[in-house]
Amino acid sequence: MSSNLQLIIKREFISRVRNRTFVVMTFLSPLIVVGMIGLIGWLTTLNSDEVKEVVVVDETKLFIGDFENTKEVAYLDYSSFDLDVAKDSVISKKLYGLLYIPNKTSNNDLAKSIQFYAEESPNFSVLNKIERIISNKLTEQNYKNEGLNLEVIERSKAKINIQIENFSGEKTSKISNYVKMGFGGLAGYLLMMFIIIYGNMVMRSVIEEKTNRIIEIIISSVKPMQLMLGKILGTSFAGILQFLIWVFLGGIIMMIGYGIFGSSLEANTLEEATKLLEANHEGMMANIGEFFLEVSKLPLLELVLSFFIYFVGGYFLYSSIYVAIGAAVDSETDSQQFMLPIILPLMLGIYVGFFAVIENPHGTVSTVFSMIPLTSPIVMLMRIPFGVPWWQILVSISLLIGSIIFMVWFAGKIYRIGILMYGKKPSYKELFKWLKY
Protein backbone atom coordinates (compact mmCIF):
# COMPACT_ATOMS: atom_id res chain seq x y z
CA MET A 1 0.00 0.00 0.00
CA SER A 2 1.49 3.34 -1.06
CA SER A 3 2.12 6.12 1.44
CA ASN A 4 -0.36 8.41 -0.37
CA LEU A 5 -3.14 5.84 -0.07
CA GLN A 6 -2.37 5.35 3.63
CA LEU A 7 -2.52 9.10 4.20
CA ILE A 8 -5.88 9.36 2.40
CA ILE A 9 -7.33 6.45 4.38
CA LYS A 10 -6.11 8.01 7.63
CA ARG A 11 -7.48 11.42 6.65
CA GLU A 12 -10.91 10.04 5.71
CA PHE A 13 -11.08 7.91 8.86
CA ILE A 14 -10.11 10.75 11.20
CA SER A 15 -12.42 13.26 9.48
CA ARG A 16 -15.34 10.85 9.90
CA VAL A 17 -14.55 9.92 13.50
CA ARG A 18 -14.03 13.52 14.61
CA ASN A 19 -17.20 14.69 12.93
CA ARG A 20 -19.68 15.92 15.54
CA THR A 21 -22.61 14.14 13.89
CA PHE A 22 -20.67 10.86 13.83
CA VAL A 23 -19.82 11.12 17.54
CA VAL A 24 -23.35 12.10 18.57
CA MET A 25 -25.06 9.40 16.51
CA THR A 26 -22.55 6.74 17.58
CA PHE A 27 -23.45 7.16 21.24
CA LEU A 28 -27.03 8.34 20.76
CA SER A 29 -28.26 5.71 18.30
CA PRO A 30 -28.36 2.80 20.83
CA LEU A 31 -30.31 5.02 23.24
CA ILE A 32 -32.72 6.00 20.45
CA VAL A 33 -33.27 2.34 19.55
CA VAL A 34 -33.89 1.42 23.19
CA GLY A 35 -36.21 4.40 23.54
CA MET A 36 -38.17 3.41 20.43
CA ILE A 37 -38.53 -0.16 21.70
CA GLY A 38 -39.70 1.16 25.06
CA LEU A 39 -42.14 3.57 23.39
CA ILE A 40 -43.60 0.81 21.21
CA GLY A 41 -43.96 -1.44 24.25
CA TRP A 42 -45.63 1.34 26.22
CA LEU A 43 -48.03 2.17 23.37
CA THR A 44 -48.83 -1.54 22.99
CA THR A 45 -49.61 -1.71 26.71
CA LEU A 46 -51.90 1.31 26.42
CA ASN A 47 -53.66 -0.29 23.48
CA SER A 48 -54.09 -3.62 25.27
CA ASP A 49 -55.40 -1.90 28.42
CA GLU A 50 -58.40 -0.65 26.45
CA VAL A 51 -61.23 -3.11 27.06
CA LYS A 52 -63.55 -3.53 24.08
CA GLU A 53 -67.16 -3.93 25.24
CA VAL A 54 -69.22 -6.04 22.85
CA VAL A 55 -72.98 -6.43 23.26
CA VAL A 56 -74.32 -9.91 22.39
CA VAL A 57 -77.93 -10.39 21.27
CA ASP A 58 -78.38 -14.17 21.06
CA GLU A 59 -81.89 -15.09 19.98
CA THR A 60 -80.98 -18.80 19.83
CA LYS A 61 -79.85 -18.92 23.51
CA LEU A 62 -77.23 -21.42 22.26
CA PHE A 63 -74.16 -19.35 23.07
CA ILE A 64 -74.98 -18.10 26.56
CA GLY A 65 -71.86 -18.59 28.64
CA ASP A 66 -69.60 -19.35 25.67
CA PHE A 67 -68.38 -15.76 25.32
CA GLU A 68 -65.98 -15.38 28.24
CA ASN A 69 -64.52 -12.01 29.16
CA THR A 70 -60.80 -11.45 28.59
CA LYS A 71 -58.40 -8.56 29.22
CA GLU A 72 -59.13 -7.23 25.75
CA VAL A 73 -62.85 -7.95 25.28
CA ALA A 74 -65.83 -7.82 27.64
CA TYR A 75 -69.10 -9.38 26.45
CA LEU A 76 -72.42 -7.92 27.63
CA ASP A 77 -75.48 -10.18 27.32
CA TYR A 78 -78.42 -8.22 25.86
CA SER A 79 -80.29 -11.28 24.61
CA SER A 80 -83.42 -10.26 26.50
CA PHE A 81 -83.60 -6.95 24.64
CA ASP A 82 -84.91 -6.24 21.18
CA LEU A 83 -82.25 -5.71 18.48
CA ASP A 84 -83.17 -2.04 17.90
CA VAL A 85 -83.05 -1.31 21.63
CA ALA A 86 -79.63 -2.99 21.86
CA LYS A 87 -78.37 -0.91 18.92
CA ASP A 88 -79.52 2.34 20.57
CA SER A 89 -77.82 1.32 23.80
CA VAL A 90 -74.53 0.60 22.02
CA ILE A 91 -74.64 3.96 20.23
CA SER A 92 -75.59 5.98 23.32
CA LYS A 93 -72.98 4.31 25.54
CA LYS A 94 -70.36 4.36 22.76
CA LEU A 95 -69.59 0.68 23.13
CA TYR A 96 -67.29 -1.21 20.77
CA GLY A 97 -69.92 -3.16 18.83
CA LEU A 98 -72.92 -5.47 18.76
CA LEU A 99 -73.00 -9.18 17.86
CA TYR A 100 -76.39 -10.30 16.59
CA ILE A 101 -77.16 -14.03 16.44
CA PRO A 102 -80.64 -14.54 14.91
CA ASN A 103 -82.86 -17.53 15.53
CA LYS A 104 -82.79 -19.82 12.46
CA THR A 105 -84.17 -23.25 11.75
CA SER A 106 -80.83 -24.79 10.76
CA ASN A 107 -77.24 -24.28 11.73
CA ASN A 108 -76.26 -23.72 8.08
CA ASP A 109 -78.70 -20.81 7.82
CA LEU A 110 -77.54 -19.49 11.20
CA ALA A 111 -73.89 -19.51 10.13
CA LYS A 112 -74.75 -17.25 7.18
CA SER A 113 -76.96 -14.84 9.14
CA ILE A 114 -74.78 -13.70 12.06
CA GLN A 115 -73.98 -9.99 11.98
CA PHE A 116 -71.63 -7.63 13.78
CA TYR A 117 -72.60 -3.96 14.06
CA ALA A 118 -69.91 -1.35 14.78
CA GLU A 119 -69.37 2.35 14.20
CA GLU A 120 -65.81 1.69 13.02
CA SER A 121 -64.13 -1.30 11.40
CA PRO A 122 -63.77 -3.99 14.10
CA ASN A 123 -60.45 -5.53 15.05
CA PHE A 124 -59.54 -8.69 13.10
CA SER A 125 -58.47 -10.56 16.24
CA VAL A 126 -61.83 -9.82 17.90
CA LEU A 127 -63.78 -11.04 14.86
CA ASN A 128 -61.61 -14.15 14.50
CA LYS A 129 -62.12 -15.08 18.14
CA ILE A 130 -65.91 -14.61 17.86
CA GLU A 131 -66.00 -16.68 14.67
CA ARG A 132 -63.95 -19.43 16.31
CA ILE A 133 -66.29 -19.61 19.32
CA ILE A 134 -69.41 -19.76 17.15
CA SER A 135 -67.85 -22.24 14.73
CA ASN A 136 -66.83 -24.64 17.51
CA LYS A 137 -70.26 -24.45 19.09
CA LEU A 138 -72.14 -25.05 15.84
CA THR A 139 -69.78 -27.92 14.94
CA GLU A 140 -70.49 -29.60 18.27
CA GLN A 141 -74.20 -29.05 17.72
CA ASN A 142 -74.00 -30.66 14.28
CA TYR A 143 -72.19 -33.66 15.77
CA LYS A 144 -74.93 -34.08 18.36
CA ASN A 145 -77.63 -33.77 15.72
CA GLU A 146 -75.94 -36.56 13.78
CA GLY A 147 -75.83 -38.73 16.89
CA LEU A 148 -72.04 -38.60 17.24
CA ASN A 149 -70.28 -38.85 20.60
CA LEU A 150 -68.13 -35.74 21.21
CA GLU A 151 -65.85 -37.46 23.70
CA VAL A 152 -65.13 -40.26 21.26
CA ILE A 153 -64.40 -37.76 18.51
CA GLU A 154 -62.03 -35.78 20.75
CA ARG A 155 -60.20 -38.94 21.80
CA SER A 156 -59.96 -40.03 18.17
CA LYS A 157 -58.13 -36.89 17.04
CA ALA A 158 -54.54 -37.67 16.08
CA LYS A 159 -51.84 -35.07 16.71
CA ILE A 160 -49.03 -35.45 14.20
CA ASN A 161 -45.48 -34.28 14.76
CA ILE A 162 -43.36 -35.36 11.79
CA GLN A 163 -39.76 -36.13 12.68
CA ILE A 164 -37.21 -34.79 10.19
CA GLU A 165 -33.96 -36.60 9.49
CA ASN A 166 -31.48 -36.47 6.62
CA PHE A 167 -30.04 -39.54 4.90
CA SER A 168 -26.87 -39.41 7.00
CA GLY A 169 -28.90 -39.89 10.17
CA GLU A 170 -28.84 -36.31 11.51
CA LYS A 171 -32.15 -35.35 13.10
CA THR A 172 -33.67 -31.89 12.94
CA SER A 173 -37.07 -30.26 13.55
CA LYS A 174 -39.54 -27.80 12.10
CA ILE A 175 -38.16 -25.01 14.27
CA SER A 176 -34.88 -25.38 12.37
CA ASN A 177 -36.28 -23.45 9.40
CA TYR A 178 -37.33 -20.54 11.62
CA VAL A 179 -33.86 -20.36 13.19
CA LYS A 180 -32.19 -20.39 9.76
CA MET A 181 -34.62 -17.81 8.40
CA GLY A 182 -33.94 -15.53 11.36
CA PHE A 183 -30.14 -15.70 11.07
CA GLY A 184 -30.13 -15.31 7.30
CA GLY A 185 -32.71 -12.52 7.24
CA LEU A 186 -30.92 -10.52 9.94
CA ALA A 187 -27.56 -10.82 8.17
CA GLY A 188 -29.01 -9.76 4.79
CA TYR A 189 -30.91 -6.83 6.26
CA LEU A 190 -27.87 -5.54 8.21
CA LEU A 191 -25.75 -5.71 5.07
CA MET A 192 -28.30 -3.76 3.04
CA MET A 193 -28.57 -1.02 5.70
CA PHE A 194 -24.77 -0.74 6.01
CA ILE A 195 -24.37 -0.35 2.25
CA ILE A 196 -27.03 2.36 2.02
CA ILE A 197 -25.87 4.37 5.06
CA TYR A 198 -22.12 4.34 4.45
CA GLY A 199 -22.36 4.37 0.67
CA ASN A 200 -24.29 7.62 0.91
CA MET A 201 -21.66 8.91 3.34
CA VAL A 202 -18.91 8.30 0.75
CA MET A 203 -20.96 9.93 -1.99
CA ARG A 204 -21.67 13.04 0.11
CA SER A 205 -17.96 13.33 0.93
CA VAL A 206 -17.05 13.37 -2.76
CA ILE A 207 -19.79 15.90 -3.58
CA GLU A 208 -18.71 18.15 -0.70
CA GLU A 209 -15.05 18.21 -1.74
CA LYS A 210 -16.00 18.75 -5.36
CA THR A 211 -18.34 21.63 -4.50
CA ASN A 212 -15.74 23.32 -2.28
CA ARG A 213 -13.09 22.92 -5.01
CA ILE A 214 -10.80 21.21 -2.48
CA ILE A 215 -10.53 18.30 -4.89
CA GLU A 216 -8.58 20.46 -7.36
CA ILE A 217 -5.80 20.91 -4.81
CA ILE A 218 -5.79 17.26 -3.67
CA ILE A 219 -5.77 15.83 -7.19
CA SER A 220 -2.59 17.75 -8.05
CA SER A 221 -0.53 15.50 -5.76
CA VAL A 222 -2.59 12.26 -5.61
CA LYS A 223 -3.79 9.92 -8.34
CA PRO A 224 -7.59 9.83 -8.74
CA MET A 225 -7.67 6.05 -8.20
CA GLN A 226 -5.76 6.36 -4.93
CA LEU A 227 -8.07 9.12 -3.76
CA MET A 228 -11.15 7.07 -4.60
CA LEU A 229 -9.90 3.90 -2.86
CA GLY A 230 -8.78 5.94 0.15
CA LYS A 231 -12.27 7.39 0.56
CA ILE A 232 -13.91 3.96 0.35
CA LEU A 233 -11.49 2.31 2.79
CA GLY A 234 -11.38 5.22 5.24
CA THR A 235 -15.16 5.46 5.44
CA SER A 236 -15.53 1.68 5.76
CA PHE A 237 -13.12 1.59 8.73
CA ALA A 238 -15.09 4.39 10.39
CA GLY A 239 -18.30 2.46 9.79
CA ILE A 240 -16.87 -0.75 11.24
CA LEU A 241 -15.68 1.16 14.32
CA GLN A 242 -19.14 2.67 14.76
CA PHE A 243 -20.76 -0.76 14.38
CA LEU A 244 -18.45 -2.29 17.04
CA ILE A 245 -19.21 0.58 19.44
CA TRP A 246 -22.94 0.00 18.90
CA VAL A 247 -22.55 -3.69 19.71
CA PHE A 248 -20.57 -2.87 22.87
CA LEU A 249 -22.99 -0.16 24.05
CA GLY A 250 -25.98 -2.34 23.22
CA GLY A 251 -24.64 -5.10 25.44
CA ILE A 252 -24.06 -2.65 28.32
CA ILE A 253 -27.56 -1.14 27.96
CA MET A 254 -29.14 -4.61 28.00
CA MET A 255 -27.22 -5.57 31.15
CA ILE A 256 -28.18 -2.31 32.89
CA GLY A 257 -31.81 -2.65 31.83
CA TYR A 258 -32.02 -6.19 33.11
CA GLY A 259 -30.40 -5.16 36.40
CA ILE A 260 -32.91 -2.33 36.93
CA PHE A 261 -36.12 -3.86 35.59
CA GLY A 262 -35.38 -7.57 35.59
CA SER A 263 -36.43 -8.33 39.15
CA SER A 264 -39.61 -6.24 38.97
CA LEU A 265 -40.61 -7.78 35.65
CA GLU A 266 -40.03 -11.25 37.04
CA ALA A 267 -42.17 -10.41 40.09
CA ASN A 268 -45.01 -8.99 37.98
CA THR A 269 -45.11 -11.91 35.59
CA LEU A 270 -44.31 -14.68 38.09
CA GLU A 271 -47.91 -15.76 38.58
CA GLU A 272 -48.70 -15.72 34.83
CA ALA A 273 -45.47 -17.51 33.98
CA THR A 274 -46.19 -20.19 36.60
CA LYS A 275 -49.64 -20.83 35.17
CA LEU A 276 -48.25 -20.97 31.62
CA LEU A 277 -45.52 -23.41 32.59
CA GLU A 278 -47.98 -25.62 34.44
CA ALA A 279 -50.35 -25.62 31.45
CA ASN A 280 -47.76 -26.42 28.83
CA HIS A 281 -44.47 -27.10 30.58
CA GLU A 282 -43.36 -30.00 28.44
CA GLY A 283 -44.16 -28.28 25.16
CA MET A 284 -42.35 -25.08 26.11
CA MET A 285 -39.26 -26.85 27.38
CA ALA A 286 -39.17 -28.98 24.25
CA ASN A 287 -39.39 -25.92 21.99
CA ILE A 288 -36.68 -24.06 23.92
CA GLY A 289 -34.48 -27.14 23.80
CA GLU A 290 -35.08 -27.52 20.06
CA PHE A 291 -34.23 -23.85 19.49
CA PHE A 292 -30.84 -24.05 21.19
CA LEU A 293 -30.15 -27.40 19.56
CA GLU A 294 -30.79 -25.99 16.11
CA VAL A 295 -28.67 -22.92 16.84
CA SER A 296 -25.79 -25.19 17.82
CA LYS A 297 -26.20 -27.11 14.55
CA LEU A 298 -25.81 -23.96 12.44
CA PRO A 299 -22.48 -23.63 10.59
CA LEU A 300 -21.51 -20.69 12.82
CA LEU A 301 -17.89 -20.44 11.62
CA GLU A 302 -19.01 -20.55 7.99
CA LEU A 303 -21.68 -17.93 8.74
CA VAL A 304 -19.20 -15.55 10.39
CA LEU A 305 -16.61 -15.91 7.62
CA SER A 306 -19.25 -15.59 4.89
CA PHE A 307 -20.78 -12.54 6.56
CA PHE A 308 -17.37 -10.85 6.70
CA ILE A 309 -16.53 -11.70 3.06
CA TYR A 310 -19.90 -10.64 1.64
CA PHE A 311 -20.05 -7.67 4.01
CA VAL A 312 -16.74 -6.29 2.72
CA GLY A 313 -17.33 -7.39 -0.88
CA GLY A 314 -20.85 -5.96 -1.09
CA TYR A 315 -19.76 -2.69 0.46
CA PHE A 316 -16.81 -2.28 -1.93
CA LEU A 317 -18.98 -3.08 -4.94
CA TYR A 318 -21.69 -0.58 -4.11
CA SER A 319 -19.36 2.06 -2.67
CA SER A 320 -17.59 2.20 -6.04
CA ILE A 321 -20.93 3.04 -7.64
CA TYR A 322 -21.66 5.66 -4.96
CA VAL A 323 -18.24 7.28 -5.50
CA ALA A 324 -18.76 7.39 -9.26
CA ILE A 325 -22.16 9.04 -8.79
CA GLY A 326 -20.71 11.55 -6.32
CA ALA A 327 -17.97 12.51 -8.79
CA ALA A 328 -20.42 12.88 -11.68
CA VAL A 329 -22.85 15.31 -10.01
CA ASP A 330 -22.61 18.70 -8.30
CA SER A 331 -25.24 18.15 -5.57
CA GLU A 332 -27.20 15.43 -3.78
CA THR A 333 -30.33 16.52 -5.65
CA ASP A 334 -28.68 15.74 -8.99
CA SER A 335 -27.63 12.29 -7.71
CA GLN A 336 -31.21 11.05 -7.42
CA GLN A 337 -31.41 10.21 -11.13
CA PHE A 338 -28.58 7.67 -10.64
CA MET A 339 -29.92 6.02 -7.47
CA LEU A 340 -31.99 3.36 -9.28
CA PRO A 341 -28.97 1.16 -10.20
CA ILE A 342 -28.14 0.98 -6.48
CA ILE A 343 -31.51 0.71 -4.77
CA LEU A 344 -33.13 -1.70 -7.24
CA PRO A 345 -30.63 -4.60 -6.86
CA LEU A 346 -30.59 -4.19 -3.06
CA MET A 347 -34.38 -4.29 -2.81
CA LEU A 348 -34.51 -7.17 -5.29
CA GLY A 349 -32.02 -9.10 -3.16
CA ILE A 350 -34.14 -8.55 -0.03
CA TYR A 351 -37.37 -9.61 -1.76
CA VAL A 352 -35.77 -12.69 -3.33
CA GLY A 353 -34.27 -13.58 0.04
CA PHE A 354 -37.47 -13.28 2.03
CA PHE A 355 -39.73 -14.93 -0.53
CA ALA A 356 -37.74 -17.27 -2.79
CA VAL A 357 -34.98 -18.35 -0.38
CA ILE A 358 -37.31 -19.00 2.55
CA GLU A 359 -39.68 -21.00 0.34
CA ASN A 360 -36.99 -22.92 -1.57
CA PRO A 361 -33.38 -22.07 -0.63
CA HIS A 362 -31.95 -24.45 -3.24
CA GLY A 363 -34.32 -23.57 -6.08
CA THR A 364 -33.35 -22.03 -9.39
CA VAL A 365 -34.31 -18.46 -8.44
CA SER A 366 -32.43 -18.58 -5.14
CA THR A 367 -29.35 -20.14 -6.72
CA VAL A 368 -29.19 -17.73 -9.66
CA PHE A 369 -29.59 -14.59 -7.57
CA SER A 370 -26.98 -15.84 -5.08
CA MET A 371 -24.51 -15.86 -8.00
CA ILE A 372 -25.33 -12.43 -9.46
CA PRO A 373 -22.81 -10.03 -7.83
CA LEU A 374 -25.27 -7.19 -7.23
CA THR A 375 -27.62 -9.45 -5.24
CA SER A 376 -25.33 -12.27 -4.04
CA PRO A 377 -24.13 -10.53 -0.83
CA ILE A 378 -27.71 -10.53 0.49
CA VAL A 379 -29.19 -13.67 -1.09
CA MET A 380 -26.21 -15.94 -0.41
CA LEU A 381 -26.08 -14.83 3.23
CA MET A 382 -29.70 -15.91 3.53
CA ARG A 383 -29.01 -19.25 1.81
CA ILE A 384 -25.92 -20.31 3.77
CA PRO A 385 -27.80 -21.25 7.00
CA PHE A 386 -29.81 -23.78 4.95
CA GLY A 387 -26.62 -25.44 3.69
CA VAL A 388 -25.01 -24.44 0.40
CA PRO A 389 -22.47 -26.57 -1.58
CA TRP A 390 -18.96 -25.18 -1.20
CA TRP A 391 -18.50 -24.86 -4.95
CA GLN A 392 -21.49 -22.52 -5.20
CA ILE A 393 -20.03 -20.28 -2.49
CA LEU A 394 -16.66 -20.22 -4.28
CA VAL A 395 -18.29 -19.37 -7.62
CA SER A 396 -20.37 -16.63 -5.98
CA ILE A 397 -17.34 -15.11 -4.22
CA SER A 398 -15.23 -15.32 -7.39
CA LEU A 399 -17.89 -13.51 -9.41
CA LEU A 400 -18.21 -10.91 -6.66
CA ILE A 401 -14.44 -10.27 -6.59
CA GLY A 402 -14.34 -10.02 -10.37
CA SER A 403 -17.23 -7.55 -10.32
CA ILE A 404 -15.49 -5.47 -7.65
CA ILE A 405 -12.36 -5.21 -9.81
CA PHE A 406 -14.43 -4.21 -12.83
CA MET A 407 -16.56 -1.74 -10.85
CA VAL A 408 -13.49 -0.10 -9.26
CA TRP A 409 -12.01 0.33 -12.75
CA PHE A 410 -15.35 1.62 -14.08
CA ALA A 411 -15.82 4.02 -11.16
CA GLY A 412 -12.19 5.16 -11.43
CA LYS A 413 -12.72 6.17 -15.05
CA ILE A 414 -15.79 8.23 -14.19
CA TYR A 415 -14.19 9.62 -11.02
CA ARG A 416 -11.08 10.78 -12.88
CA ILE A 417 -13.14 12.92 -15.26
CA GLY A 418 -16.15 13.77 -13.10
CA ILE A 419 -14.36 15.36 -10.14
CA LEU A 420 -13.16 18.19 -12.38
CA MET A 421 -16.47 18.72 -14.22
CA TYR A 422 -18.74 21.52 -12.93
CA GLY A 423 -22.02 23.13 -13.81
CA LYS A 424 -23.43 20.38 -16.02
CA LYS A 425 -25.77 17.51 -15.23
CA PRO A 426 -24.29 14.44 -16.93
CA SER A 427 -26.51 11.87 -18.63
CA TYR A 428 -25.89 8.14 -18.90
CA LYS A 429 -24.72 8.69 -22.47
CA GLU A 430 -22.11 11.20 -21.35
CA LEU A 431 -20.90 8.90 -18.55
CA PHE A 432 -20.14 6.20 -21.11
CA LYS A 433 -18.18 8.76 -23.15
CA TRP A 434 -15.96 9.41 -20.13
CA LEU A 435 -14.92 5.73 -20.16
CA LYS A 436 -13.10 6.31 -23.47
CA TYR A 437 -10.89 9.08 -22.08
Side-chain angles (χ1 to χ4, degrees), residues 149-160:
N149 191 318
L150 296 181
E151 294 182 0
V152 173
I153 292 174
E154 190 64 30
R155 288 200 305 269
S156 300
K157 290 181 179 179
K159 295 181 179 180
I160 306 300

Side-chain angles (χ1 to χ4, degrees), residues 44 46-55 68-76 94-97 116 121-127 130:
T44 303
L46 287 180
N47 192 43
S48 61
D49 288 343
E50 180 185 351
V51 179
K52 302 174 179 63
E53 294 182 305
V54 176
V55 167
E68 298 179 357
N69 294 338
T70 63
K71 291 182 179 180
E72 293 80 23
V73 185
Y75 298 97
L76 308 176
K94 296 182 179 179
L95 301 180
Y96 186 74
F116 190 93
S121 298
N123 190 296
F124 282 110
S125 62
V126 174
L127 287 180
I130 291 173

